[in-house]
Amino acid sequence: MATAYVLHLLFVVVWIGGLIFLQLALWPATGAQLRESSSRIPLLAAVLERFLWLAWAAAIILPVTGFWLIGAYGGMARLGGHIHLMTGVGLMMVLLHLALYLAAFLPLRRAVAAGEWESAGRQLQWVRWLTWLLLLAGILVILITGLGARGGL
């Protein structure tokens, strides 16, 4: 059970930390430093591609370790409402990540490869919007879990 718990916490940090980096560091810095779309957008797409592989790992490992821990504690019926909420929001995050990858990132990558900067810029806006949603959902999961563990929910 300790292995599942450590992996679960580690991949929460990887996923949410990566989203914080994208939103609060990478997007603003590249927007301020790289004005030309032909320089900025390929860099953002390359960084995003590397991050998305880590996020895919998190999107797979978190549900696996989460359900492993739920089983170790005797199943959902024995756990508080905060675990039910955490599970629901967490699964919604996996679906949002799937949408981010299929509906925004893959078209972004195609547009970058074709040098279509206007189209790539539009796709990048979808990426930013979806990563904000993922970050807010991740913060919500952390708050639900933390407050629920203290009897706050």
Side-chain angles (χ1 to χ4, degrees):
M1 187 162 79
T3 300
Y5 192 69
V6 168
L7 284 171
H8 201 79
L9 290 178
L10 177 64
F11 278 92
V12 166
V13 170
V14 166
W15 201 358
I16 304 307
L19 290 166
I20 289 170
F21 168 76
L22 287 175
Q23 292 299 343
L24 302 180
L26 183 66
W27 306 132
T30 55
Q33 299 297 319
L34 299 172
R35 296 284 182 202
E36 290 295 319
S37 296
S38 61
S39 299
R40 184 181 68 255
I41 293 174
L43 173 64
L44 291 171
V47 171
L48 189 62
E49 184 163 18
R50 288 176 184 264
F51 165 71
L52 287 175
W53 283 110
L54 291 169
W56 271 119
I60 293 165
I61 289 170
L62 287 170
V64 169
T65 57
F67 287 116
W68 179 1
L69 290 165
I70 288 167
Y73 282 106
M76 290 295 272
R78 300 194 61 188
L79 298 172
H82 67 289
I83 301 298
H84 295 253
L85 285 170
M86 176 183 61
T87 304
V89 176
L91 291 174
M92 180 197 70
M93 287 180 68
V94 171
L95 294 175
L96 275 173
H97 180 73
L98 182 64
L100 166 64
Y101 188 79
L102 294 176
F105 176 71
L106 290 180
L108 168 64
R109 189 168 64 182
R110 283 192 295 273
V112 168
E116 298 170 356
W117 306 123
E118 187 176 322
S119 175
R122 282 193 306 273
Q123 292 306 317
L124 199 54
Q125 289 304 312
W126 278 108
V127 168
R128 289 186 73 180
W129 189 78
L130 288 167
T131 54
W132 267 119
L133 281 178
L134 278 164
L135 178 56
L136 293 174
I139 291 169
L140 180 62
V141 167
I142 291 168
L143 292 173
I144 288 168
T145 307
L147 292 172
R150 303 284 182 265
L153 288 177

